[in-house]
Amino acid sequence: MIFPRSSALATGLIGLTPLTAAFGTINEPVILGQHNEHEMVTRLAFQCPSGQKSDGVCFEPRSLDQLAGYHREVMGVALPGAGFNGAVGAPDTLDPVPEGPEAHCDDADFVDVPGYPQSRKEANKNLQKCVDHLRARFRQAWVSAEMLVDERRRIRPGEVELTNAFGGDCNFAFPSLQINVFARAKCSTLEGFGRALHGVQDFYSHSNWADETDISKPISETNPPGLALHGTAKFLDLRASGPIPDDQIPYNLTTGCFTIPDGTPGSGDCAGRVTHHALNKDHGVIHLDGTFGDAGPGSPRSEAISRNFENAVRVAVQSSKETWAAFREHLREQYGTVAGNLMICALVRDDPIKDCRKRMAVIALDASSRSGAVEASGLQVQIAQEFKLKLSSHGLDRIEVMEFAEAPKIVHPMGFPESVTFSELDTKGRTNIGNALDVAIDDIIQSQPDTYTDRGAVVLLTAGAEPENTKENQELAEYALAQVERAAKEGVRIHFGCINPPRPFNDDPDRSWHECAPGHSIIPAVLKTGGTFAYINHVAGRPDLTPAPHFISTIMSRGLTSTDEYEPELTRIYPGITIAALLSAEDYPSKSLFYPASPSERINITIRDRALDGQGVANGGGGCFSITLRDRKLDDLKIAAYTSCGTEPLMLNYEALQDVDLLVVAELGDPHHPQQEGSPNPQGVVFTLELSSNMPAKNETSTMTTSSVVSSKATLKMTEEAGIKTEEFLTSETVEVFEEAATVNGTASTTSEGSHTVSGGDGVTGSAMPAQEAMVTGKESMAGMEDVYVTTIAGNFSREDADDIPDLR
């Protein structure tokens, strides 16, 4: 039919005769006689078993909706005209008029009786027009598919999304062109394929290929012979070109002549000819289990012999499957097996960004004596189990499990995550991180040699490298660094978890404790692969602090491989995970991290420039960088700002009295001393941020995007004093900086003018903002503040009387 479901009641139901006819497109059985036949044929051909993911052939629900269309039901009864035509129904859509007879394989009629108005040759010519049209639609589909992936053979997120944020259902109506060339690539591809599929299905409905004649009547234009063929037509292989071979067209093949009005006998141009009305098997009830209801109405051929409708549907379903198989094969031939398979996956999967990545990951577990000495074995197994749970369970991701000490041992070769199990590590021997990385990178490349770039990742857990106090150990460190740099060149991400020795809940200052040592320059090299570096802390006496899920969530949020989401705008901070970040003038001038703080939560934050630990950029020292604390829930209200140009750690103690989304923004450079024109750019800074809390670990983890806590905002009132306007605004925090890291709880007030100005040793400077960022620092009096519901903050700073930040370098 010609009518989109949205317009059927407005046009078809008031008596407008259809301009063309086909397997039914909408649900309107009373007047138009349609039961969503094109939709049901397409669903029978391509639906996945209930609740199952696509196997690469069937279409998942939302994707199938775009191809087949859908109808609306209330209490099991289909609503007339309600739903969506889908791509297969597009040729029947007012656009502004439906496509012509070539889109439906009409007018290729012939009966071998004396005086028939059209010869076999002329009928073949019209059949050729139909096939050429369908070939063009087929080409439209595979040409459009090229935009599904980028030059690095990654699926383009904006080209495959079917969520409302990206437009929801595809739009297949585009006046004059009858192809939405400006649509998402998935929509454009499905449009071309669906329009081709429409004609393929109509051929069997509109011809005598699969039907039988009424033997009670003589052969004539009102009762043409039936071919009763059960196989599909070879000339509907739409990859072909040129004339249809004569031996592929049965001599008695006929379709119907279509004109308005469509009836039997024919009139106008169809006078004396087999008409669409006489021959069609367009209407009947099709169930998704492959059974049928009543045939008709409006189909004399089906009403005379009911199995004619059923046979036409069965062959149309089979031919649809063959057309899809040909399309998949053509994509692989045209674009290569790798890209072609990605395109196919993008078309059939509802969430192809997640499900079509075909990632390969090696998780390398440290089984050295060092790992056993710091009680890291059990934690590594927990992390590995969490990692396994994050991988796709649909047969696309692969994982290899490696244990390493002096030499790596593959305990589970590259395979499906579901089959992987983990056992306690037998720890012994020295640590050779370079060997483990070398073998892991090789295995990723060998497992998928054509597509490993941007799809591989190594998650390496270790209790630390051997001390670099001998030449041999120095060579081991250089070997490890060389392998990380090799991974960056190969497009393999390295995620490095350096497991610290356990610390007691209440630190004993007299007890010796040494941080995990990853190896010289490892941190910036890991970050340059696009991966994650973190120190993993486990604290004796705090079983609630389980860093395993937090470390894996940090990796997945950043992106396991380069095919995943790019690094998020914000990185979630977790207690127990000391996250590393790289600031560089060209690539990473700023970094934002956040933590959702709860009422009465006391937080300790330590930010450390890692240059003195041998982790500087390009083997150089550190540089200046600023740290600004903000509240995300209050339009990024500035709480405090600090600048570090030295090596002394920045340590902050923070207490939230309300729900606060604490945002930590690190920026390269010193805002108080801008870089002079012509001076060289700073090489960059590698820093780490560690957060500890007095509260149990929150159950918030993230795989793709950050989460936040809704803030309940208190009221801060600034009374009118010395000519200052009274301001009232909602806030959940203000700040004080206290001498000698004192912490103050409850209500606080200040009589000083402007923001507090502080400084610390070795070039650490900072200021606290007691009110909105819009206030001019150091200019407006803050005397007489009252009723301030305070979030307190303290740091390793001493107070200065000066309003301006002095140059302490």
Short mmCIF file of all heavy atoms in Angstrom, two decimals, residues 437 465 468 474 477-478 480-485 496 517-529 533 535 582 610-621 686:
data_model
loop_
_atom_site.label_atom_id
_atom_site.label_comp_id
_atom_site.label_asym_id
_atom_site.label_seq_id
_atom_site.Cartn_x
_atom_site.Cartn_y
_atom_site.Cartn_z
N LEU A 437 54.85 -8.03 29.18
CA LEU A 437 54.28 -7.13 28.18
C LEU A 437 54.62 -7.57 26.76
O LEU A 437 53.79 -7.50 25.86
CB LEU A 437 54.78 -5.71 28.42
CG LEU A 437 54.24 -5.01 29.68
CD1 LEU A 437 54.95 -3.68 29.89
CD2 LEU A 437 52.74 -4.79 29.57
N ALA A 465 58.25 -3.35 40.25
CA ALA A 465 59.44 -3.84 39.55
C ALA A 465 60.56 -4.10 40.55
O ALA A 465 60.54 -3.64 41.70
CB ALA A 465 59.87 -2.81 38.52
N GLU A 468 65.99 -0.78 41.08
CA GLU A 468 66.96 -0.48 40.03
C GLU A 468 68.32 -0.15 40.63
O GLU A 468 68.93 0.87 40.35
CB GLU A 468 66.43 0.67 39.16
CG GLU A 468 65.14 0.33 38.45
CD GLU A 468 64.58 1.48 37.64
OE1 GLU A 468 65.40 2.22 37.04
OE2 GLU A 468 63.35 1.65 37.60
N GLN A 474 68.33 -2.53 36.11
CA GLN A 474 68.14 -1.35 35.26
C GLN A 474 67.77 -1.76 33.84
O GLN A 474 66.92 -1.12 33.19
CB GLN A 474 69.40 -0.49 35.27
CG GLN A 474 69.68 0.20 36.59
CD GLN A 474 71.04 0.87 36.64
OE1 GLN A 474 71.80 0.84 35.67
NE2 GLN A 474 71.37 1.45 37.79
N ALA A 477 64.19 -2.69 33.75
CA ALA A 477 63.34 -1.50 33.73
C ALA A 477 63.29 -0.90 32.33
O ALA A 477 62.23 -0.48 31.85
CB ALA A 477 63.83 -0.48 34.74
N GLU A 478 64.42 -0.84 31.65
CA GLU A 478 64.46 -0.31 30.29
C GLU A 478 63.67 -1.19 29.32
O GLU A 478 62.99 -0.69 28.41
CB GLU A 478 65.92 -0.19 29.83
CG GLU A 478 66.71 0.88 30.59
CD GLU A 478 68.19 0.84 30.24
OE1 GLU A 478 68.58 -0.03 29.42
OE2 GLU A 478 68.95 1.65 30.80
N ALA A 480 61.05 -3.06 30.12
CA ALA A 480 59.62 -2.82 30.38
C ALA A 480 59.16 -1.53 29.73
O ALA A 480 58.10 -1.47 29.10
CB ALA A 480 59.36 -2.79 31.89
N LEU A 481 59.97 -0.48 29.86
CA LEU A 481 59.61 0.81 29.26
C LEU A 481 59.53 0.69 27.74
O LEU A 481 58.62 1.23 27.10
CB LEU A 481 60.64 1.87 29.65
CG LEU A 481 60.41 3.27 29.08
CD1 LEU A 481 59.07 3.83 29.53
CD2 LEU A 481 61.55 4.20 29.50
N ALA A 482 60.48 -0.05 27.14
CA ALA A 482 60.47 -0.22 25.69
C ALA A 482 59.20 -0.94 25.23
O ALA A 482 58.64 -0.62 24.17
CB ALA A 482 61.71 -1.00 25.25
N GLN A 483 58.71 -1.88 26.01
CA GLN A 483 57.49 -2.61 25.62
C GLN A 483 56.24 -1.73 25.73
O GLN A 483 55.33 -1.83 24.92
CB GLN A 483 57.35 -3.88 26.46
CG GLN A 483 58.41 -4.93 26.20
CD GLN A 483 58.53 -5.27 24.73
OE1 GLN A 483 57.54 -5.54 24.05
NE2 GLN A 483 59.75 -5.25 24.21
N VAL A 484 56.21 -0.87 26.75
CA VAL A 484 55.08 0.07 26.84
C VAL A 484 55.10 1.01 25.65
O VAL A 484 54.05 1.29 25.04
CB VAL A 484 55.14 0.86 28.17
CG1 VAL A 484 54.03 1.91 28.21
CG2 VAL A 484 55.02 -0.08 29.36
N GLU A 485 56.27 1.50 25.27
CA GLU A 485 56.37 2.39 24.11
C GLU A 485 56.02 1.65 22.82
O GLU A 485 55.41 2.22 21.91
CB GLU A 485 57.79 2.97 24.03
CG GLU A 485 58.09 3.93 25.19
CD GLU A 485 59.54 4.36 25.25
OE1 GLU A 485 60.39 3.66 24.61
OE2 GLU A 485 59.85 5.34 25.94
N PHE A 496 47.91 -0.21 33.90
CA PHE A 496 48.94 -0.66 34.83
C PHE A 496 48.44 -0.42 36.25
O PHE A 496 48.22 0.71 36.66
CB PHE A 496 50.22 0.15 34.57
CG PHE A 496 51.48 -0.44 35.12
CD1 PHE A 496 52.49 -0.86 34.27
CD2 PHE A 496 51.69 -0.57 36.49
CE1 PHE A 496 53.68 -1.39 34.74
CE2 PHE A 496 52.86 -1.10 36.99
CZ PHE A 496 53.87 -1.51 36.11
N ALA A 517 56.81 0.32 43.25
CA ALA A 517 57.69 0.97 42.28
C ALA A 517 57.42 0.40 40.88
O ALA A 517 57.74 -0.76 40.61
CB ALA A 517 59.15 0.76 42.66
N PRO A 518 56.84 1.17 39.98
CA PRO A 518 56.49 0.62 38.66
C PRO A 518 57.67 0.50 37.70
O PRO A 518 57.61 -0.26 36.73
CB PRO A 518 55.48 1.63 38.12
CG PRO A 518 55.86 2.92 38.77
CD PRO A 518 56.36 2.56 40.14
N GLY A 519 58.72 1.26 37.95
CA GLY A 519 59.83 1.31 37.01
C GLY A 519 60.00 2.71 36.45
O GLY A 519 59.03 3.46 36.30
N HIS A 520 61.21 3.06 36.12
CA HIS A 520 61.54 4.42 35.67
C HIS A 520 60.73 4.82 34.44
O HIS A 520 60.67 4.09 33.44
CB HIS A 520 63.03 4.50 35.36
CG HIS A 520 63.49 5.89 35.04
ND1 HIS A 520 63.77 6.81 36.02
CD2 HIS A 520 63.70 6.52 33.87
CE1 HIS A 520 64.15 7.95 35.46
NE2 HIS A 520 64.11 7.79 34.15
N SER A 521 60.05 5.98 34.53
CA SER A 521 59.32 6.60 33.41
C SER A 521 58.13 5.78 32.91
O SER A 521 57.59 6.07 31.83
CB SER A 521 60.26 6.91 32.24
OG SER A 521 61.26 7.82 32.62
N ILE A 522 57.70 4.80 33.68
CA ILE A 522 56.59 3.95 33.25
C ILE A 522 55.27 4.73 33.22
O ILE A 522 54.46 4.58 32.29
CB ILE A 522 56.47 2.71 34.16
CG1 ILE A 522 57.55 1.70 33.80
CG2 ILE A 522 55.09 2.08 34.05
CD1 ILE A 522 57.34 1.00 32.47
N ILE A 523 55.05 5.57 34.22
CA ILE A 523 53.73 6.22 34.31
C ILE A 523 53.42 7.06 33.08
O ILE A 523 52.36 6.87 32.45
CB ILE A 523 53.61 7.06 35.61
CG1 ILE A 523 53.74 6.16 36.83
CG2 ILE A 523 52.28 7.79 35.64
CD1 ILE A 523 53.64 6.89 38.16
N PRO A 524 54.28 8.02 32.68
CA PRO A 524 53.91 8.79 31.48
C PRO A 524 53.82 7.93 30.23
O PRO A 524 52.98 8.18 29.35
CB PRO A 524 55.03 9.83 31.36
CG PRO A 524 56.16 9.30 32.18
CD PRO A 524 55.54 8.51 33.27
N ALA A 525 54.65 6.89 30.13
CA ALA A 525 54.58 6.01 28.96
C ALA A 525 53.25 5.27 28.90
O ALA A 525 52.64 5.14 27.83
CB ALA A 525 55.75 5.02 28.98
N VAL A 526 52.76 4.79 30.04
CA VAL A 526 51.47 4.11 30.09
C VAL A 526 50.36 5.06 29.70
O VAL A 526 49.47 4.73 28.90
CB VAL A 526 51.23 3.53 31.50
CG1 VAL A 526 49.77 3.14 31.68
CG2 VAL A 526 52.12 2.32 31.73
N LEU A 527 50.38 6.26 30.24
CA LEU A 527 49.33 7.23 29.94
C LEU A 527 49.33 7.60 28.46
O LEU A 527 48.26 7.87 27.88
CB LEU A 527 49.49 8.47 30.81
CG LEU A 527 49.34 8.24 32.32
CD1 LEU A 527 49.60 9.54 33.08
CD2 LEU A 527 47.96 7.70 32.66
N LYS A 528 50.48 7.59 27.83
CA LYS A 528 50.55 7.93 26.41
C LYS A 528 50.00 6.82 25.51
O LYS A 528 49.73 7.06 24.33
CB LYS A 528 51.99 8.27 26.02
CG LYS A 528 52.47 9.61 26.57
CD LYS A 528 53.92 9.88 26.24
CE LYS A 528 54.38 11.21 26.84
NZ LYS A 528 55.82 11.49 26.58
N THR A 529 49.83 5.60 26.04
CA THR A 529 49.14 4.56 25.26
C THR A 529 47.64 4.79 25.24
O THR A 529 46.92 4.11 24.51
CB THR A 529 49.41 3.16 25.84
OG1 THR A 529 48.72 3.01 27.09
CG2 THR A 529 50.89 2.88 26.01
N PHE A 533 46.99 4.42 34.61
CA PHE A 533 47.96 4.01 35.63
C PHE A 533 47.36 4.36 36.98
O PHE A 533 46.86 5.47 37.19
CB PHE A 533 49.31 4.71 35.49
CG PHE A 533 50.30 4.24 36.53
CD1 PHE A 533 51.17 3.22 36.25
CD2 PHE A 533 50.31 4.79 37.82
CE1 PHE A 533 52.05 2.74 37.23
CE2 PHE A 533 51.18 4.33 38.79
CZ PHE A 533 52.05 3.30 38.49
N TYR A 535 47.96 3.46 41.41
CA TYR A 535 48.42 2.72 42.58
C TYR A 535 47.19 2.18 43.28
O TYR A 535 46.22 2.91 43.54
CB TYR A 535 49.20 3.63 43.53
CG TYR A 535 50.52 4.12 42.99
CD1 TYR A 535 50.63 5.38 42.42
CD2 TYR A 535 51.66 3.32 43.05
CE1 TYR A 535 51.84 5.84 41.92
CE2 TYR A 535 52.88 3.77 42.55
CZ TYR A 535 52.96 5.02 41.98
OH TYR A 535 54.17 5.47 41.49
N LEU A 582 48.25 12.93 33.24
CA LEU A 582 49.30 13.61 32.48
C LEU A 582 48.77 14.95 31.99
O LEU A 582 47.70 15.01 31.39
CB LEU A 582 49.71 12.75 31.29
CG LEU A 582 50.64 13.38 30.25
CD1 LEU A 582 52.00 13.69 30.86
CD2 LEU A 582 50.80 12.44 29.04
N ARG A 610 54.96 13.79 40.26
CA ARG A 610 55.76 12.56 40.26
C ARG A 610 57.14 12.72 39.63
O ARG A 610 57.83 11.72 39.39
CB ARG A 610 54.99 11.46 39.52
CG ARG A 610 53.81 10.94 40.33
CD ARG A 610 54.26 10.11 41.50
NE ARG A 610 53.18 9.76 42.42
CZ ARG A 610 53.30 8.90 43.41
NH1 ARG A 610 54.47 8.32 43.63
NH2 ARG A 610 52.28 8.64 44.21
N ALA A 611 57.57 13.94 39.39
CA ALA A 611 58.86 14.14 38.73
C ALA A 611 60.01 13.57 39.55
O ALA A 611 60.94 12.96 39.00
CB ALA A 611 59.09 15.63 38.46
N LEU A 612 59.97 13.76 40.88
CA LEU A 612 61.07 13.27 41.71
C LEU A 612 61.11 11.76 41.80
O LEU A 612 62.11 11.19 42.23
CB LEU A 612 60.96 13.86 43.12
CG LEU A 612 61.57 15.24 43.34
CD1 LEU A 612 61.63 15.54 44.82
CD2 LEU A 612 62.95 15.36 42.72
N ASP A 613 60.03 11.10 41.40
CA ASP A 613 59.98 9.64 41.43
C ASP A 613 60.47 9.03 40.12
O ASP A 613 60.23 7.84 39.86
CB ASP A 613 58.55 9.17 41.71
CG ASP A 613 58.02 9.68 43.03
OD1 ASP A 613 58.84 9.89 43.94
OD2 ASP A 613 56.80 9.88 43.14
N GLY A 614 61.07 9.85 39.26
CA GLY A 614 61.52 9.35 37.97
C GLY A 614 60.40 9.17 36.98
O GLY A 614 60.50 8.39 36.03
N GLN A 615 59.29 9.90 37.16
CA GLN A 615 58.12 9.76 36.29
C GLN A 615 57.79 11.07 35.58
O GLN A 615 56.64 11.31 35.21
CB GLN A 615 56.91 9.30 37.11
CG GLN A 615 57.13 8.01 37.88
CD GLN A 615 57.35 6.80 36.98
OE1 GLN A 615 57.00 6.83 35.80
NE2 GLN A 615 57.96 5.76 37.52
N GLY A 616 58.81 11.92 35.39
CA GLY A 616 58.58 13.17 34.68
C GLY A 616 58.38 12.96 33.19
O GLY A 616 58.75 11.93 32.63
N VAL A 617 57.80 13.96 32.54
CA VAL A 617 57.59 13.89 31.09
C VAL A 617 58.93 14.04 30.39
O VAL A 617 59.71 14.94 30.68
CB VAL A 617 56.62 15.00 30.64
CG1 VAL A 617 56.46 14.99 29.13
CG2 VAL A 617 55.27 14.81 31.32
N ALA A 618 59.19 13.15 29.42
CA ALA A 618 60.43 13.18 28.63
C ALA A 618 61.65 13.20 29.54
O ALA A 618 62.64 13.89 29.29
CB ALA A 618 60.45 14.38 27.70
N ASN A 619 61.58 12.43 30.66
CA ASN A 619 62.68 12.33 31.61
C ASN A 619 63.02 13.66 32.25
O ASN A 619 64.09 13.83 32.82
CB ASN A 619 63.93 11.74 30.96
CG ASN A 619 63.72 10.31 30.50
OD1 ASN A 619 63.10 9.52 31.21
ND2 ASN A 619 64.19 10.00 29.30
N GLY A 620 62.11 14.61 32.16
CA GLY A 620 62.39 15.92 32.73
C GLY A 620 61.76 16.08 34.09
O GLY A 620 61.13 15.18 34.64
N GLY A 621 61.95 17.26 34.67
CA GLY A 621 61.37 17.55 35.96
C GLY A 621 59.93 17.97 35.81
O GLY A 621 59.34 17.94 34.75
N VAL A 686 53.33 15.01 35.31
CA VAL A 686 52.65 13.79 35.70
C VAL A 686 52.35 13.91 37.19
O VAL A 686 53.26 14.10 37.99
CB VAL A 686 53.49 12.54 35.42
CG1 VAL A 686 52.80 11.29 35.97
CG2 VAL A 686 53.74 12.38 33.93
#
